[in-house]
């Protein structure tokens, strides 16, 4: 039974307030968003520092920098964490402002696909240069 | 999408202007009051009523009572205790949710705009329809739940545990008077009131979760663990800012989130 199909004109306020109940979900999302944010704090500083250090570097110098396993690994972790954090943040924004359930779900899934694809491309590119 | 403008039939039109102060009044004040009568079928309007402050007491509620008694008896608003303990006269005064009985007129320079609590259905004038928030309050089952048979005397609690509920300064979660100034000042509650419990209800949920005598803590947390019921709170803090009793619903919600994380970790 879909909630939308009920005629809520005749539902009691308590039935409306209880709705479909709790989804037993959300704590993990909230916790992971914060863990990702704390991981991003040092990573963003490192990425900005690296970009500044690599200013004016030649292609050879840049590939040599990326072939350092530590640099490649940190860059991959940075891309995965930032895209994971962005997807979770955008999901919350969409849940806030898009009231149509169907549209909301489609947009959240699309966001995940777009960010997943972009991250995969970034990781593959890093690996291609690094290996 | 979220609605940022009022629907056509809710747009507030200009209302009547009444000068009830008299020519020799020394201390006049104009109140711009939201008026809505569901029976008339007309849009809401904003009446401007000027009164002589020497004819009424110092609080906004005194002015409203003076207006109702002597200027326009059709004005509808809720009030009861007139001393900030019943929570009936919560309304938006000068852009902030306040209790009319605790809000000194002297705090406001210029005209004072008064409207009902934001984003609630309006029954009439300054009277909002609170049935949904009351039902949400009912939904968290705000009473002590225990399976242990009742002892022959009170259920004991340490002074520290009682302090969690009452607060060192009397501003703990149990001091909430359910005026809903906080919930109706919360943008998350404006957009998602159908599912989000809102700060007032979550503060009260915390009051029972934090109670050492209650035996249903896990059940209460289960009931709240939901992206909409609890996690629509983004720590905007309007709730704490607007509470006329100086309570801290934002902190109570943070405590619930901490417990949620603790039981996952």
């Amino acid at each position: 039974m879909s909630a939308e199909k009920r005629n809520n004109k005749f539902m009691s306020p308590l039935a409306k307030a209880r709705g479909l109940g709790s989804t037993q979900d959300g704590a993990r999302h909230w916790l992971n968003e914060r863990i990702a944010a704390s991981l991003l704090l040092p990573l963003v500083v490192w990425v900005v520092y690296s970009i500044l250090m690599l200013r004016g570097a030649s292609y050879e110098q840049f590939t040599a920098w990326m072939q350092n396993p530590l640099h490649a690994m940190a860059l991959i972790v940075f891309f995965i964490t930032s895209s994971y954090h962005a997807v979770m943040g955008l999901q919350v924004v969409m849940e806030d402002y898009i009231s149509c359930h169907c549209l909301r779900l489609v947009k959240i899934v699309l966001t995940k696909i777009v960010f997943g694809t972009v991250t995969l491309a970034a990781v593959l590119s890093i690996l291609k240069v690094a290996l | 999408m979220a609605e940022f403008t009022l629907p056509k039939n809710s747009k507030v039109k200009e209302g009547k202007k009444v000068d009830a102060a008299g020519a020799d009044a020394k201390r006049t004040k104009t109140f711009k009051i939201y008026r809505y009568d569901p029976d008339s079928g007309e849009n809401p309007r904003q009446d401007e009523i000027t009164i002589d402050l020497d004819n009424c007491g110092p609080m906004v509620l005194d002015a409203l009572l003076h207006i109702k008694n002597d200027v326009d008896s059709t004005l509808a608003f809720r009030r009861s205790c007139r001393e900030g303990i019943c929570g009936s006269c919560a309304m938006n005064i000068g852009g902030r949710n306040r209790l009319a009985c605790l809000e000194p007129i002297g705090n406001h320079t210029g005209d004072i705009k008064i409207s009902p609590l934001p984003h609630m259905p309006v029954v009439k004038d300054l009277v909002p329809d609170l049935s949904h928030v009351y039902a949400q309050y009912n939904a968290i089952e705000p009473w002590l739940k225990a399976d242990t048979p009742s002892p022959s005397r009170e259920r004991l609690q340490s002074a520290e545990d009682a302090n969690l509920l009452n607060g060192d300064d009397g501003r703990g979660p149990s001091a909430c008077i359910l005026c809903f100034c906080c919930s109706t000042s919360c943008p998350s509650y404006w957009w998602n009131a159908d599912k989000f419990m809102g700060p007032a209800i979550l503060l009260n949920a915390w009051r029972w979760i934090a109670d050492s005598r209650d035996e249903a803590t896990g059940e209460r947390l289960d009931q709240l663990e939901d992206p909409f019921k609890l996690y629509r709170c983004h720590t905007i803090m309007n709730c704490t800012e607007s509470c006329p009793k100086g309570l801290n619903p934002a902190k109570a919600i943070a405590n619930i989130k901490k417990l949620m994380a603790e039981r996952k970790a």
Side-chain angles (χ1 to χ4, degrees), chain A residues 53-109:
Chain A
M53 285 296 108
L54 285 164
R55 265 182 315 170
S58 65
Y59 179 74
E60 285 71 29
Q61 282 170 312
F62 179 74
T63 45
W65 177 84
M66 211 182 254
Q67 276 158 4
N68 180 329
L70 268 181
H71 293 164
M73 186 201 68
L75 216 50
I76 288 172
V77 174
F78 169 75
F79 272 104
I80 292 176
T81 317
S82 55
S83 116
Y84 182 58
H85 187 72
V87 164
M88 283 197 290
L90 284 170
Q91 179 178 342
V92 170
V93 174
M94 286 184 273
E95 285 168 348
D96 272 348
Y97 292 111
I98 305 172
S99 41
C100 167
H101 292 243
C102 212
L103 190 65
R104 185 200 293 155
L105 184 68
V106 169
K107 287 198 175 178
I108 290 174
V109 171

Side-chain angles (χ1 to χ4, degrees), chain B residues 97 118-119 183-193 196 238:
Chain B
N97 292 348
H119 230 279
S183 288
T184 55
S185 71
C186 170
S188 280
Y189 194 72
W190 296 342
W191 309 147
N192 287 297
F196 180 42
N238 277 11

Side-chain angles (χ1 to χ4, degrees), chain B:
Chain B
M1 298 295 283
E3 284 176 22
F4 292 98
T5 54
L6 287 169
K8 220 174 174 186
N9 59 352
S10 295
K11 290 224 160 77
V12 185
K13 306 211 158 139
E14 208 173 296
K16 57 181 182 183
K17 290 186 170 63
V18 182
D19 187 355
D24 53 345
K26 289 192 185 82
R27 294 168 59 229
T28 64
K29 192 84 174 167
T30 302
F31 290 84
K32 295 179 169 176
I33 305 175
Y34 175 99
R35 304 296 306 271
Y36 171 66
D37 181 3
D39 298 330
S40 72
E42 286 169 22
N43 270 32
R45 59 176 207 270
Q46 184 176 267
D47 284 356
E48 287 187 34
I49 299 169
T50 307
I51 57 166
D52 181 358
L53 292 183
D54 288 329
N55 288 337
C56 72
M59 301 300 183
V60 171
L61 182 64
D62 297 317
L64 286 174
L65 286 167
H66 169 58
I67 291 169
K68 187 168 174 71
N69 290 339
D70 303 318
V71 184
D72 183 350
S73 62
T74 64
L75 177 65
F77 56 92
R78 290 196 182 102
R79 88 281 175 275
S80 181
C81 75
R82 59 98 187 96
E83 56 185 14
I85 205 63
C86 74
S88 304
C89 63
M91 50 187 78
N92 190 284
I93 302 166
R96 285 162 178 249
N97 292 348
R98 290 284 182 264
L99 292 176
C101 61
L102 293 186
E103 186 67 7
I105 299 170
N107 278 7
H108 297 260
T109 49
D111 299 344
I112 301 181
K113 224 170 149 175
I114 304 178
S115 49
L117 287 175
H119 230 279
M120 299 298 253
V122 177
V123 177
K124 188 173 190 271
D125 298 342
L126 302 174
V127 181
D129 179 1
L130 299 175
S131 28
H132 182 60
V133 260
Y134 286 146
Q136 287 182 312
Y137 184 51
N138 203 348
I140 61 157
E141 307 187 334
W143 50 80
L144 189 117
K145 292 207 241 177
D147 294 326
T148 307
S150 305
S152 55
R153 50 168 302 173
E154 301 92 330
R155 288 176 196 272
L156 294 178
Q157 185 173 45
S158 74
E160 292 77 26
D161 287 341
N163 250 1
L164 275 180
L165 312 179
N166 303 322
D168 293 323
D169 51 1
R171 289 178 177 173
S174 64
C176 174
I177 57 170
L178 295 170
C179 65
F180 303 114
C181 280
C182 57
S183 288
T184 55
S185 71
C186 170
S188 280
Y189 194 72
W190 296 342
W191 309 147
N192 287 297
D194 54 337
K195 289 185 185 164
F196 180 42
M197 287 296 189
I201 306 306
L202 290 172
L203 175 77
N204 280 282
W206 171 246
R207 184 251 169 272
W208 292 104
I209 289 167
D211 195 324
S212 59
R213 298 162 298 182
D214 191 85
E215 293 168 4
T217 309
E219 190 187 303
R220 292 181 190 281
L221 290 175
D222 282 348
Q223 200 205 34
L224 289 178
E225 190 180 344
D226 185 271
F228 281 88
K229 281 177 190 283
L230 171 67
Y231 290 100
R232 273 318 89 192
C233 166
H234 305 314
T235 329
I236 300 163
M237 303 284 289
N238 277 11
C239 50
T240 301
E241 206 279 326
S242 69
C243 179
K245 304 294 283 180
L247 314 186
N248 196 342
K251 197 178 172 193
I253 300 172
N255 285 334
I256 299 177
K257 287 177 183 168
K258 268 201 255 174
L259 272 192
M260 291 282 185
E262 198 181 307
R263 69 176 194 162
K264 289 272 179 203

Side-chain angles (χ1 to χ4, degrees), chain A residues 9-82:
Chain A
K9 191 179 159 191
F10 297 103
M11 279 168 75
S12 72
L14 184 61
K16 284 187 209 165
R18 284 186 178 154
L20 299 179
S22 155
T23 54
Q24 303 293 297
D25 185 29
R28 186 54 72 191
H29 181 112
W30 182 85
L31 195 58
N32 286 358
E33 203 178 345
R34 270 134 197 91
I35 293 171
S38 12
L39 200 58
L40 277 173
L41 275 176
L43 279 173
V44 167
V45 174
W46 173 78
V47 166
V48 171
Y49 169 79
S50 305
I51 291 172
L52 290 178
M53 285 296 108
L54 285 164
R55 265 182 315 170
S58 65
Y59 179 74
E60 285 71 29
Q61 282 170 312
F62 179 74
T63 45
W65 177 84
M66 211 182 254
Q67 276 158 4
N68 180 329
L70 268 181
H71 293 164
M73 186 201 68
L75 216 50
I76 288 172
V77 174
F78 169 75
F79 272 104
I80 292 176
T81 317
S82 55

Side-chain angles (χ1 to χ4, degrees), chain A residues 108-121:
Chain A
I108 290 174
V109 171
L110 276 180
T111 311
K112 285 182 177 170
I113 292 172
V114 167
F115 272 85
T117 314
V118 170
T119 312
L120 188 67

